[in-house]
Amino acid sequence: MTARIPPGPRLLMERLEGAGHEAHLVGGRVRGLLRGAEPQDWDICTAAAPRETEACLAPLPILETGLRHGTVTALAEGRPYEITTYRADGPYSDGRRPDSVRFVTDLTQDLARRDFTVNAMALGLDGVLHDPFGGQVDLAAGVIRCVGDPDRRFQEDGLRLLRALRFSACLDFAIHPDTAAAIRRNLPMLDKVAAERVQAELRKLLLGSRATEVLREFPEVLCRFWPQLGPLVALEQHNPHHRYGGWEHTLHALAAAPAEEVVRLAVLLHDVGKPPCKTTDEAGIDHFYGHAAVSAQLADQMLRALKFDTRTRERVVTLVERHDAPIHPTEKSVRRWLGRLGEEAFFQLLEVKRCDNLGKGPGLGEDRLAALETLGAMARAAIAQGECFSLRDLAVNGRDVLAAGVPAGPQVGRVLAGLLDRVIVGALPNDRAALLAALEEERG
Ligand code: ATP
Ligand code: MG
């Protein structure tokens, strides 16, 4: 197994060991080496105090970012590695971080403060695996289980609730029943976790191969920070186009989604506005008129609450807002949509629509899939022709419109939009002279 520790981390561990300080590989990489997967980063832990770590590693470049918490970041072979001093956490009184951190020299103490058994294994250069909490057995069985008493561990740090769900979704592991029960008992701990950290875990969770199953098992975890989801989880739909309730439909749609972040977020949130829009007609059939706009509003609110970046939020809101908008299979209509959304968002919208249809249940949405394929093919053909689609591509701009005598103000935008539409439908070429002539004509 040691042969697989590559030169970067090996160099750092050898330097530490050479100076008489124990050093081990820990965290995701140990899991990865044991099961052949490739996590992102390398975590190294050592008995050396942070200053000693720095001294051993000189003259390698060092970043002192987390020094107070015992973490030194060293660059080796051009990549950053986090080296953390063995520590035992003091009591946690705020449910977020320990009141104090004590550096220790005993590896087992350091492993005991780690969250799950599969994350509490350490590998030395000698190839010896330290596994005091049964991580290997849980790794082989595919189980996420807290180190020690799960209630206590979740009460120390509420982020661990979400980390459990995230590892379960990404590693395709089940959550041990005792750990699962403790998650359900400790939901209020999530209220203390910073929005950005919830967001980071949720993003990873949603991309996991088992995301759907985890959300089916633990909707209450998401509802804790997104109470807007509660009514969707409870929503029944008596409608010939749907086989499932609101949440089951959402999960079936999510199961069909590619591992693309904005598409998964949009699919997760596309129907969140259905409950307040529900009406039931005399025949007992439920309708949800106007729900896409309400879903978009709620999605905006929910993504803001978790402090998502503007780009992601705006894209997801657009996809949610348009998820049930009809796109006519004509060249003009497809070009107009491409102009309105841009290429990337247009194809993401087709994906969201595909998932929405697949989520309706066997035999219910499939007939629409061929139509979506056709729209995709039409868009690709239009793009291949190198047509002009957006205002940015138009051969004239606002300055030209002003120069033609249009008064500054909203009128400028309307004139440009009018020209763009004529170019999109082929009534005008995207040619500067032709567009300026059309402008003159309109003014005259
Ligand atoms: P990946 O890097 O693939 O996301 P990882 O297991 O390496 O997975 P990190 O977030 O990099 O996860 O953390 C490294 C290790 O630090 C974990 O394996 C775990 O042992 C410990 N750890 C991280 N966060 C916590 C936490 N909130 N509570 C307890 N231990 C934690
Ligand atoms: Mg890691």
Side-chain angles (χ1 to χ4, degrees):
M1 195 180 296
T2 40
R4 290 158 67 190
I5 299 181
R10 166 174 291 277
L11 170 77
L12 300 174
M13 290 168 75
E14 279 167 355
R15 289 271 184 110
L16 287 160
E17 293 273 356
H21 305 293
E22 231 179 73
H24 287 90
L25 199 60
V26 73
R29 276 296 161 166
V30 178
R31 286 193 322 260
L33 290 178
L34 292 172
R35 62 197 286 274
E38 284 286 310
Q40 291 301 310
D41 53 6
W42 295 89
D43 303 297
I44 294 168
C45 62
T46 179
R51 291 287 171 208
E52 293 173 323
T53 300
E54 288 186 312
C56 298
L57 299 183
L60 292 174
I62 299 283
L63 310 173
E64 297 193 354
T65 39
L67 208 56
R68 243 169 14 98
H69 306 287
T71 302
V72 171
T73 305
L75 292 172
E77 316 263 320
R79 291 190 45 185
Y81 294 91
E82 293 220 324
I83 303 158
T84 305
T85 301
Y86 294 164
R87 53 178 238 220
D89 293 341
Y92 288 69
S93 52
D94 66 355
R96 277 181 295 205
R97 56 179 75 85
D99 302 337
S100 61
V101 166
R102 193 160 48 87
F103 297 137
V104 297
T105 50
D106 175 25
L107 173 63
T108 304
Q109 265 184 298
D110 180 77
L111 294 175
R113 67 158 178 102
R114 295 177 182 271
D115 46 9
F116 307 113
T117 58
V118 294
N119 287 349
M121 295 183 277
L123 180 65
L125 281 172
D126 54 8
V128 174
L129 183 76
H130 298 262
D131 176 22
F133 304 104
Q136 264 182 298
V137 174
D138 285 343
L139 192 70
V143 173
I144 298 297
R145 181 205 312 254
C146 285
V147 172
D149 172 38
D151 283 301
R152 212 189 105 208
R153 302 316 308 279
F154 290 132
Q155 281 155 23
E156 287 172 350
D157 176 3
L159 185 70
R160 292 175 188 155
L161 276 81
L162 262 177
R163 282 176 59 89
L165 267 59
R166 187 257 284 191
F167 285 117
S168 172
C170 296
L171 300 176
D172 199 1
F173 282 15
I175 298 180
H176 187 275
D178 295 345
T179 296
I183 289 175
R184 297 199 168 89
R185 281 193 294 268
N186 289 286
L187 295 175
M189 290 305 299
L190 278 168
D191 304 350
K192 303 182 181 181
V193 181
E196 292 84 351
R197 304 190 73 189
V198 172
Q199 182 212 118
E201 291 299 329
L202 179 68
R203 291 177 104 135
K204 291 182 191 169
L205 191 170
L206 281 181
L207 290 178
S209 59
R210 218 174 80 89
T212 306
E213 288 81 352
V214 168
L215 296 185
R216 181 175 287 122
E217 233 178 306
F218 295 97
E220 60 271 56
V221 172
L222 266 75
C223 291
R224 187 76 200 186
F225 53 81
W226 274 349
Q228 298 92 331
L229 272 182
L232 179 70
V233 173
L235 179 74
E236 292 184 24
Q237 319 190 78
H238 298 290
N239 182 301
H241 299 301
H242 276 279
R243 178 146 304 168
Y244 308 119
W247 189 233
E248 237 350 92
H249 161 63
T250 298
L251 296 178
H252 276 83
L254 199 60
E260 192 180 347
E261 198 164 73
V262 290
V263 173
R264 291 212 170 177
L265 279 165
V267 170
L268 177 68
L269 301 178
H270 78 286
D271 274 351
V272 70
K274 267 189 172 177
C277 295
K278 179 168 168 170
T279 55
T280 306
D281 66 19
E282 290 119 41
I285 294 179
D286 296 332
H287 301 279
F288 305 95
Y289 300 118
H291 79 275
V294 179
S295 294
Q297 253 172 28
L298 288 171
D300 185 69
Q301 204 182 82
M302 293 160 85
L303 296 170
R304 279 179 197 273
L306 290 192
K307 305 208 160 92
F308 271 84
D309 60 285
T310 311
R311 213 178 120 85
T312 303
R313 174 171 51 79
E314 287 181 347
R315 176 59 59 85
V316 172
V317 169
T318 298
L319 296 173
V320 170
E321 192 176 10
R322 314 279 188 168
H323 79 266
D324 67 349
I327 303 177
H328 298 293
T330 62
E331 222 180 300
K332 283 181 191 175
S333 152
V334 168
R335 284 195 203 163
R336 280 197 174 115
W337 274 98
L338 278 168
R340 194 178 299 157
L341 296 182
E343 276 177 39
E344 189 184 58
F346 179 86
F347 286 105
Q348 287 167 339
L349 181 61
L350 294 187
E351 272 304 320
V352 171
K353 284 172 163 291
R354 191 182 63 83
C355 297
D356 191 11
N357 281 301
L358 284 170
K360 288 179 180 170
L364 291 179
E366 285 103 337
D367 50 335
R368 306 257 185 98
L369 297 179
L372 290 172
E373 290 284 334
T374 306
L375 289 173
M378 291 176 75
R380 280 188 292 275
I383 291 162
Q385 283 168 21
E387 297 287 346
C388 140
F389 297 116
S390 72
L391 277 181
R392 218 183 19 192
D393 308 316
L394 200 65
V396 292
N397 60 26
R399 231 171 286 149
D400 300 312
V401 177
L402 288 171
V406 175
Q411 183 64 14
V412 175
R414 278 198 285 274
V415 168
L416 280 173
L419 287 176
L420 176 64
D421 201 60
R422 286 161 74 185
V423 170
I424 284 173
V425 301
L428 273 176
N430 187 27
D431 171 90
R432 196 172 155 75
L435 292 173
L436 289 177
L439 257 180
E440 284 302 323
E441 240 169 70
E442 258 176 50
R443 294 301 300 158

